[in-house]
Amino acid sequence: MAKIAFILLCHKDPDAIIAQAQQLTAAGDFLAIHFDASAGADAFSKIKTALSDNPNVVFAKRVKCGWGQWSLVQATLNALRAATDAFPRATHFYMVSGDCLPIKSAAYARQMLVQSDVDFIESYDFFDSDWIKTGFREERLIYRHIFNERTQPRRFYTALNLQQKLGLTRRVPDDIQVMIGSQWWCLRRQTVEAVLD
């Protein structure tokens, strides 16, 4: 039987996170929460206190997250480590945000996972798909992005314009297929353990 450990990345609305945690664990599944360290300590404390008696909830080491930054990957890894350590019976790890709620029952999800011995992750070929609707395309790969576009737009565009002016591009390696897609997924334990190793 499949047992899901939800990996919850969130940063706001402690009351909604508490309700979401209670719903996701009500059917016996597990939950590892990463609450962004940029959010207030009072909000995190409220969540921890409300869920302290739920044995199916564990909290990941918090990091301050920025959109499009490595910190989101680190938060995910921290939550995965917390979940794999705390829930050895979990067979699948399903990453969700604080804005997600299931539209199917836990029984339906478990049955689907048992019937399909695969990982679920949205991915498209970077060059052949139309997944990118707006913004940069090739520029994402051939230029170095040292500054965050959202928090340091002036520095970001100055650095980009300088690279373009000087022709400082990098070649995409020929031996890889560049993929793009959503950060939300459901992976089998063996995949998660291989990633963490």
Side-chain angles (χ1 to χ4, degrees), residues 7 31 36 51-52 58 79 92 98 119 130 143 147 151 156 162 166 177 183:
I7 305 300
L31 177 66
D36 192 334
L51 299 172
S52 64
V58 68
H92 293 79
D119 296 312
D130 66 346
Y143 296 113
F147 304 104
T151 60
F156 177 88
L162 185 61
L166 297 173
Q177 180 182 9
Q183 76 182 71

Side-chain angles (χ1 to χ4, degrees), residues 25-196:
T25 59
D29 288 313
F30 308 113
L31 177 66
I33 298 174
H34 179 275
F35 193 71
D36 192 334
S38 299
D42 291 344
F44 181 62
S45 180
K46 182 177 186 177
I47 295 168
K48 262 190 115 163
T49 300
L51 299 172
S52 64
D53 64 343
N54 188 331
N56 288 0
V57 174
V58 68
F59 292 91
K61 180 181 175 187
R62 297 173 69 200
V63 295
K64 290 183 178 183
C65 295
W67 184 88
Q69 294 182 354
W70 173 259
S71 54
L72 287 173
V73 176
Q74 188 63 61
T76 303
L77 292 172
N78 290 355
L80 281 172
R81 283 190 184 96
T84 56
D85 291 347
F87 309 123
R89 294 181 330 156
T91 60
H92 293 79
F93 297 81
Y94 192 155
M95 192 160 116
V96 295
S97 79
D99 295 325
C100 296
L101 280 176
I103 58 171
K104 300 284 188 181
S105 70
Y108 177 89
R110 288 184 191 134
Q111 180 182 359
M112 184 180 144
L113 293 173
V114 167
Q115 290 174 347
S116 305
D117 188 26
V118 296
D119 296 312
F120 293 90
I121 187 165
E122 179 185 45
S123 61
Y124 299 94
D125 185 275
F126 185 90
F127 299 103
D128 293 336
S129 74
D130 66 346
W131 195 86
I132 300 171
K133 302 294 184 198
T134 62
F136 296 129
R137 190 169 187 85
E138 184 185 30
E139 293 88 350
R140 295 174 187 229
L141 303 176
I142 65 170
Y143 296 113
R144 291 157 183 84
H145 302 288
I146 302 162
F147 304 104
N148 185 307
E149 182 183 17
R150 288 190 176 189
T151 60
Q152 297 177 302
R154 189 171 179 187
R155 289 180 174 167
F156 177 88
Y157 286 103
T158 298
L160 177 63
N161 291 335
L162 185 61
Q163 291 177 78
Q164 289 172 330
K165 191 175 194 175
L166 297 173
L168 299 175
T169 61
R170 58 183 174 186
R171 192 176 62 75
V172 177
D174 293 328
D175 61 341
I176 64 169
Q177 180 182 9
V178 180
M179 304 297 286
I180 194 163
S182 172
Q183 76 182 71
W184 313 109
W185 39 252
C186 182
L187 304 175
R188 296 167 295 171
R189 182 175 204 97
Q190 66 196 42
T191 304
V192 167
E193 288 176 347
V195 168
L196 292 176

